[in-house]
Amino acid sequence: MDLQGTQLLGSGTSRAGTDTFTAIDPREAAPLEGSFHEAIPAEVDRAFALAAAAHPAFELAGREARARFLETIAERIEALGDGLLQRASAETGLPLPRLTGERGRTCGQLRMFAKVVREGAYLDVRIERADPDRQPLPKPDVRSMRHALGPVAVFGASNFPLAFSVAGGDTASALAAGCPVVVKAHPNHPGTSELVGRAIVAAVRDCGLPEGVFSLLQGRGHEVGLEMVRHPLCRAVGFTGSLAGGRALFDAAAARPVPIPVFAEMGSTNPMFLLPQKLAAEGAALAEGLAGSVTLGVGQFCTNPGLVFAVRDAGAETFVTKLAEHLGGAAEAPMLHAGIRSAYERRLDELAAVPGVEVRVRDGAVGPCGAKAALLVTDARNWTGQETLREEVFGPATVVVLCDDLAELAVVAGALPGQLTATVTGTEAEVAQVPGLLATLADRAGRVLFGGFPTGVDVSSAMVHGGPYPATTDSRSTSVGTAAIERFTRPVAWQSFPQALLPEDLRDAGPAGLWRRVDGEFGQA
């Protein structure tokens, strides 16, 4: 596949900058084919100028046009065939079966949002008709629906080069809402990003939409991303990545003369609470399952279970011993890039240096980006008193925290920072013995699981992939599932307008089948 290494600015390309970079195969630490140009401020400005010009026409094109556009993107991505998967594997070290599934998820969520757009329920249409005879004052005609924010900056994630990247959930939900998108490609998979970006550009052309609906910018450092967030025509930001990266974008957006929302999904330790009866009965199976969850994808999932809480007893000790056996026997595997591998080893060094932390499993890796699993054990008092133990380790590691009793287990739950997930594994009877545990976890996590492991995030209408800070910058939203579209809209009321001047979805007749609330009654047009 011919990679040009240019910026994709609407229907055109640009390589105005002179600085270039290459992608690296993490398995061999070898440069890959293709030289990619760093975007310069003039190219960022051009991308947002095109996006702002395209916004009114894109939204006015209507829901059916946007739905068909999303479906066409999916078709164009699928038409890239195995070449896309091979390039993604070379840039990330991820195996082809994993990437095949991720491509299916990417195209599936594009089609899911097409369905959401056609249904129109996300618009939250509300109609309150006029009553001129109301006393003491006449009632005006007021109608409201959700309106697209405008150009959105989206940042590709390192660990999902397809599903959380150029055509991933943030892009799909923003386009579904009617927002043009400017994507900052992740610097570690620029070739994959260009291929998908060209598929979206082709879909824009196929559907006869304004060229500024989509642009793609390349950049190795932070400058391009900050330039995007600070651009006066940018209206919102979607980000998946590290706490440091998300916080930097959030602070930049807040410091603008006109602040904008940043929807950043960041760090999470995804605690698991293993209660004694369940641990005594199924400890061996839980140890095996947890080891598989911790090492899945070399631990490079935002829902990797990095904390395990259990009551100190014979069952817990047996569980830890079995877990150590499984993690100690796990094979070395390459991480996504050298920076992530370095950060992983650095965090393990920090935890191992904390007094009261016992390293049960940790072996050095030999590959250029290789990593091996790690297991550390401490007690609840130590964990509560050491802030570094509550922070994420991005990689195949977990920390087991042993509590004296169920009461102490409830105390540590209350000390958790915001999380994407929290899992409780126990019998119904013993969960009832820890009053308030579930309510505490619901206050601190976006998704609470009863049993199982948190690493799978199902793309469905009910899914919530979010949570209180530092898991995200806005706990009121989700980055996975159909509710993700709400991030890129805002309510607008139309008062006393003649029917002909109202948006079609707000007219009395309304499109057939559109769900809406009319004079307080919910139903279909």
Side-chain angles (χ1 to χ4, degrees):
M1 293 187 174
D2 182 29
L3 295 172
Q4 298 181 17
T6 63
Q7 320 310 325
L8 305 181
L9 304 180
S11 61
T13 62
S14 174
R15 51 163 59 97
T18 57
D19 292 339
T20 61
F21 64 99
T22 58
I24 303 294
D25 186 334
R27 298 165 295 192
E28 307 293 337
L32 294 166
E33 178 186 358
S35 181
F36 299 87
H37 286 253
E38 293 265 353
I40 63 172
E43 291 168 326
V44 175
D45 186 64
R46 175 63 176 162
F48 278 101
L50 286 168
H55 176 219
F58 183 43
E59 190 167 19
L60 288 173
R63 291 187 285 112
E64 178 57 34
R66 293 204 303 278
R68 183 60 194 141
F69 173 47
L70 294 168
E71 293 167 339
T72 304
I73 295 173
E75 293 164 5
R76 281 285 187 173
I77 291 173
E78 290 166 344
L80 293 172
D82 291 343
L84 172 65
L85 305 182
Q86 290 161 359
R87 179 70 190 196
S89 181
E91 290 185 329
T92 64
L94 296 173
L96 288 174
R98 148 74 192 273
L99 290 166
T100 301
E102 190 178 328
R103 179 180 60 185
R105 171 178 173 167
T106 304
C107 294
Q109 63 193 8
L110 284 161
R111 293 185 170 108
M112 176 187 73
F113 278 110
K115 182 179 179 181
V116 168
V117 172
R118 283 195 177 98
E119 290 174 344
Y122 79 95
L123 292 169
D124 190 23
V125 172
R126 296 166 183 259
I127 298 174
E128 290 287 338
R129 291 176 290 198
D131 181 2
D133 297 324
R134 189 184 69 172
Q135 295 297 326
L137 293 172
K139 177 184 176 184
D141 185 281
V142 180
R143 299 158 188 249
S144 67
M145 61 184 285
R146 301 195 72 84
H147 172 74
L149 292 179
V152 173
V154 169
F155 290 77
S158 63
N159 57 341
F160 282 88
L162 299 175
F164 277 89
S165 191
V166 175
D170 287 343
T171 297
S173 54
L175 292 175
C179 297
V181 170
V182 179
V183 172
K184 164 64 168 62
H186 195 279
N188 291 104
H189 44 78
T192 304
S193 298
E194 181 180 322
L195 293 173
V196 176
R198 290 185 178 279
I200 300 176
V201 169
V204 172
R205 183 183 63 246
D206 293 344
C207 296
L209 295 171
E211 62 167 332
V213 164
F214 174 81
S215 291
L216 176 72
L217 300 170
Q218 300 275 7
R220 178 175 39 191
H222 304 302
E223 293 80 8
V224 175
L226 289 172
E227 189 83 16
M228 291 168 62
V229 172
R230 291 169 178 154
H231 197 282
L233 295 177
C234 182
R235 293 291 179 263
V237 177
F239 172 85
T240 299
S242 68
L243 175 59
R247 185 55 195 256
L249 298 181
F250 179 85
D251 290 346
R256 289 170 37 130
V258 179
I260 57 173
V262 174
F263 302 101
E265 185 259 283
M266 303 179 294
S268 180
T269 54
N270 305 295
M272 296 188 66
F273 291 79
L274 306 183
L275 302 187
Q277 293 177 25
K278 199 74 169 179
L279 204 55
E282 302 176 21
L286 288 170
E288 182 178 7
L290 178 60
S293 182
V294 168
T295 57
L296 183 67
V298 205
Q300 298 169 116
F301 288 98
C302 46
T303 51
N304 185 54
L307 273 176
V308 180
F309 296 97
V311 174
R312 188 192 305 274
D313 61 12
E317 283 299 330
T318 300
F319 165 78
V320 171
T321 299
K322 290 291 185 182
L323 181 60
E325 291 175 1
H326 288 298
L327 292 177
E332 176 183 333
M335 300 193 82
L336 292 161
H337 56 81
I340 283 183
R341 189 269 183 96
S342 297
Y344 173 61
E345 295 293 344
R346 183 170 61 252
R347 282 290 290 132
L348 289 179
D349 288 342
E350 291 172 357
L351 298 189
V354 174
V357 172
E358 177 188 359
V359 179
R360 291 285 186 99
V361 174
R362 188 186 180 189
D363 295 320
V366 296
C369 291
K372 297 199 73 174
L375 171 63
L376 302 95
V377 181
T378 190
D379 62 46
R381 292 182 184 84
N382 198 39
W383 179 84
T384 304
Q386 299 286 344
E387 184 175 355
T388 189
L389 296 179
R390 299 195 290 277
E391 297 171 354
E392 180 185 31
V393 179
F394 193 71
T398 196
V399 178
V400 174
V401 179
L402 297 175
C403 304
D404 289 340
D405 50 33
L406 289 176
E408 190 170 52
L409 197 79
V411 169
V412 296
L416 286 167
Q419 304 289 332
L420 293 172
T421 75
T423 303
V424 177
T425 298
T427 66
E428 291 185 35
E430 63 182 335
V431 171
Q433 295 173 23
V434 194
L437 176 61
L438 296 182
T440 297
L441 297 182
D443 188 54
R444 283 159 176 76
R447 177 164 58 110
V448 182
L449 295 82
F450 185 73
F453 303 96
T455 36
V457 181
D458 188 62
V459 181
S460 69
S461 62
M463 180 51 65
V464 173
H465 191 59
Y469 187 87
T472 73
T473 51
D474 192 330
S475 63
R476 298 168 297 175
S477 64
T478 176
S479 63
V480 177
T482 58
I485 194 173
E486 297 171 4
R487 298 173 297 168
F488 304 116
T489 65
R490 63 180 178 85
V492 175
W494 302 73
Q495 184 168 330
S496 302
F497 269 78
Q499 290 286 309
L501 295 181
L502 284 168
E504 181 184 6
D505 291 324
L506 283 181
R507 295 173 187 171
D508 284 342
L514 178 65
W515 288 96
R516 57 192 191 164
R517 190 174 298 278
V518 180
D519 296 333
E521 298 295 326
F522 192 61
Q524 286 180 290

